[in-house]
Amino acid sequence: MKKTILTETRFSNLELSDSIIKGLKEAGFIQCSPIQDRALPIALRDRDVAGQAQTGTGKTATFLLATFQRLINDESEKIKNPRALILAPTRELAIQIHKDALALSRYLNLKFALIYGGTDYQKQLDKLKTDVDIIIGTPGRIIDFYRQGAFTLDNIQVSVMDEADRMFDLGFIKDIRFLLRRMPPPEKRLNLLFSATLSYKVTELAYEHMNNPVMVKIETEEVTSKAINQFAFCPANDQKIPLLLGLLKTHQPVRSIVFVNTKRCAEQLDDYLQANGHKVAMLSGDVPQEKRQRLLNDFQENRVTLLIATDVAARGLHIPDVSHVFNYDLPQDVEDYVHRIGRTARFGASGEAISFICEEYAYSMPDIEDYIGEKVPVRAIDQELLIEDVIKPERREPRERVPAHGKRPPRGDKPERDRRPPRPHREHGQPATTAPASAPENLPQPETP
């Protein structure tokens, strides 16, 4: 089931120190993934890299190993300030990068500071005031500490921007530029940028703040599409819950994520699944950080095997062994479809992505298929897949919602949104607001059994 896509290149054949190679071997890494094979040799020669690769392809190890080697190569007197800054768009991604960094640097004398908002303010501040080599974190909290004088960026030798496209989506680009402009000039440091897409805005950022970067693109189909079995059903709205329950019973997923578009839908689904015997966790954008981390730990350690999540809540999740992804609601942004199904088939492991083309979001599928460059097969709904004796949950009491800064709390029936700008009109599809109430004529038809 877990056939990992690797190249013939071994880490031991690259210009990595013996201490790094020893840590890699103990972590079980012998051969390079495609992004590592193409980007690492360039970065190890102190050339800047702007890499395009999906999550789960080994890009984290790519920039960590290049960062470690650059700092090891520096024979100058030890500087009591951070020498590398690794920026991530979300807390969860920062936490995962820090975890990987500790594992891969086991035999290196490097110290890390993990910095992100929402918790542990004083603890993080105290850590920064020690002799830290590498800061890993989210832009907002890092800028907060920088302005307090907790550290300086004058001695940065390596800057890393991970998931740069998400940085734009979440509105962090001004913060990114604030930090980059306070580092030494681009030619005096190693600059590494990774993104799921090297769009115009990401490429512009690369050329503005990097030193003539080498563009390395790993196409999605090389590392994920062939490993993911994608298919869909066309249920009526009242069939969605019985169908999901039937699929869970039929497939018996080891660990799965169900994506929805709204918090209201997530709450409803949470109630139904629990009433019907499933132990689930629910993540939406307003879940407090401590509870969020506890739920993710439960999911990673199999105390909970089914996670319901909105796109805002799920960004930056790096959870291994997710066998199934269910698009209970089709995403309204085509890029989110790729992001969602990328939660399964990590490092080339096989997985299944099952989508519901329902009455409400059917208009999204033609644009999704256009974006991914292939048709998603549609299967007929076998009556046996629909659970007939669905247990209805007790009516939940309205949850207390505390307005932030005196503003009216968001209505639960609207899709969760982050701070991304409106998506421009695409020539090949019509805007969502012009979609007909009924399913479009080019809606995929079920395969004949």
Side-chain angles (χ1 to χ4, degrees):
M1 171 135 179
K2 286 197 171 186
K3 184 179 179 182
T4 304
I5 297 177
L6 297 174
T7 68
E8 296 295 324
T9 304
R10 290 175 169 263
F11 287 105
S12 57
N13 294 334
L14 301 178
E15 298 175 59
L16 293 167
S17 72
D18 292 340
S19 298
I20 292 178
I21 295 296
K22 186 177 180 181
L24 283 166
K25 286 183 178 179
E26 289 197 6
F29 296 106
I30 305 299
Q31 293 169 274
C32 297
S33 69
I35 186 64
Q36 294 161 353
D37 176 44
R38 293 181 56 186
L40 259 176
I42 299 170
L44 292 174
R45 296 292 181 95
D46 280 340
R47 289 289 308 277
D48 290 2
V49 173
Q52 174 179 297
Q54 299 296 317
T55 57
T57 60
K59 61 184 177 63
T60 302
T62 303
F63 63 69
L64 285 176
L65 297 177
T67 299
F68 296 164
Q69 192 61 55
R70 171 63 182 255
L71 299 189
I72 290 174
N73 290 343
D74 181 24
E75 300 295 338
S76 62
E77 184 179 351
K78 181 79 172 172
I79 301 171
K80 292 185 179 181
N81 295 113
R83 292 182 289 153
L85 180 64
I86 300 175
L87 297 171
T90 65
R91 305 178 185 100
E92 287 73 28
L93 182 54
I95 291 169
Q96 184 61 48
I97 293 171
H98 181 253
K99 181 180 178 181
D100 293 342
L102 292 177
L104 296 177
S105 65
R106 183 176 304 177
Y107 298 101
L108 305 176
N109 186 27
L110 294 174
K111 296 181 180 179
F112 304 89
L114 175 60
I115 307 299
Y116 57 88
T119 186
D120 294 334
Y121 190 94
Q122 191 59 46
K123 182 179 178 181
Q124 294 176 13
L125 182 58
D126 292 342
K127 181 67 175 178
L128 276 176
K129 292 180 179 178
T130 64
D131 188 11
V132 171
D133 296 286
I134 301 173
I135 295 176
I136 302 169
T138 54
R141 176 65 65 89
I142 288 176
I143 289 177
D144 186 4
F145 288 145
Y146 174 79
R147 284 177 166 158
Q148 293 185 46
F151 65 94
T152 177
L153 296 172
D154 294 345
N155 303 301
I156 293 294
Q157 299 173 30
V158 184
S159 71
V160 178
M161 289 173 280
D162 194 16
E163 296 199 2
D165 51 346
R166 293 295 171 191
M167 299 280 198
F168 277 95
D169 289 345
L170 296 173
F172 289 140
I173 194 57
K174 288 184 179 179
D175 293 343
I176 298 295
R177 286 193 166 102
F178 175 90
L179 293 169
L180 291 172
R181 287 168 179 163
R182 282 153 181 82
M183 298 179 188
E187 60 272 14
K188 293 187 178 181
R189 62 179 197 257
L190 175 64
N191 304 282
L192 305 172
L193 177 150
F194 289 88
S195 179
T197 58
L198 287 179
S199 61
Y200 174 80
K201 58 188 179 183
V202 173
T203 304
E204 183 181 45
L205 176 70
Y207 281 114
E208 181 182 354
H209 293 284
M210 300 174 72
N211 182 27
N212 193 25
V214 178
M215 298 292 176
V216 176
K217 295 186 178 182
I218 304 297
E219 297 300 329
T220 304
E221 55 267 25
E222 290 184 43
V223 291
T224 59
S225 292
K226 293 178 182 178
I228 302 174
N229 180 27
Q230 302 176 59
F231 58 96
F233 295 95
C234 294
N237 285 344
D238 59 1
Q239 291 180 314
K240 291 177 72 175
I241 287 176
L243 179 58
L244 178 61
L245 290 170
L247 289 169
L248 291 172
K249 181 180 179 180
T250 302
H251 289 265
Q252 294 289 314
V254 176
R255 187 182 292 167
S256 59
I257 302 177
V258 181
F259 283 102
V260 296
N261 289 347
T262 68
K263 180 185 175 184
R264 180 181 180 182
C265 180
E267 291 175 347
Q268 180 190 48
L269 202 51
D270 182 42
D271 290 342
Y272 265 97
L273 290 174
Q274 293 205 47
N276 286 271
H278 292 276
K279 193 173 182 181
V280 301
M282 186 192 77
L283 284 184
S284 58
D286 60 353
V287 173
Q289 177 61 24
E290 290 186 7
K291 180 180 179 181
R292 177 187 178 90
Q293 203 56 48
R294 185 174 70 252
L295 292 176
L296 288 174
N297 288 337
D298 288 344
F299 188 56
Q300 290 177 334
E301 296 174 13
N302 289 328
R303 289 188 289 270
V304 171
T305 59
L306 184 58
L307 180 68
I308 304 169
T310 60
D311 288 302
V312 172
R315 289 200 181 130
L317 294 187
H318 291 257
I319 301 171
D321 301 328
V322 173
S323 60
H324 291 70
V325 166
F326 296 91
N327 285 309
Y328 185 83
D329 296 332
L330 280 178
Q332 295 169 288
D333 187 315
V334 293
E335 293 179 7
D336 283 335
Y337 178 83
V338 176
H339 178 73
R340 288 180 180 187
I341 70 172
R343 300 308 94 196
T344 187
R346 310 287 290 172
F347 265 104
S350 62
E352 294 200 330
I354 305 172
S355 298
F356 289 1
I357 308 175
C358 67
E359 301 167 30
E360 187 173 1
Y361 298 108
Y363 63 81
S364 295
M365 184 52 81
D367 278 357
I368 289 172
E369 291 179 328
D370 186 37
Y371 183 74
I372 65 176
E374 61 180 298
K375 290 287 184 181
V376 177
V378 177
R379 298 183 181 180
I381 300 176
D382 192 324
Q383 194 63 31
E384 295 180 358
L385 275 180
L386 298 174
I387 298 295
E388 294 182 1
D389 52 344
V390 176
I391 301 173
K392 292 186 178 181
E394 295 181 7
R395 187 172 181 178
R396 70 162 66 201
E397 294 296 324
R399 296 186 179 183
E400 182 180 356
R401 295 183 180 178
V402 180
H405 307 295
K407 296 180 181 179
R408 182 178 179 181
R411 293 180 59 185
D413 59 346
K414 292 185 178 180
E416 286 201 355
R417 293 294 182 193
D418 51 30
R419 291 181 286 170
R420 81 171 75 189
R423 183 174 176 80
H425 172 63
R426 300 170 66 234
E427 294 181 0
H428 62 266
Q430 294 297 321
T433 54
T434 64
S438 59
E441 293 180 1
N442 55 349
L443 183 67
Q445 297 300 312
E447 296 174 348
T448 303

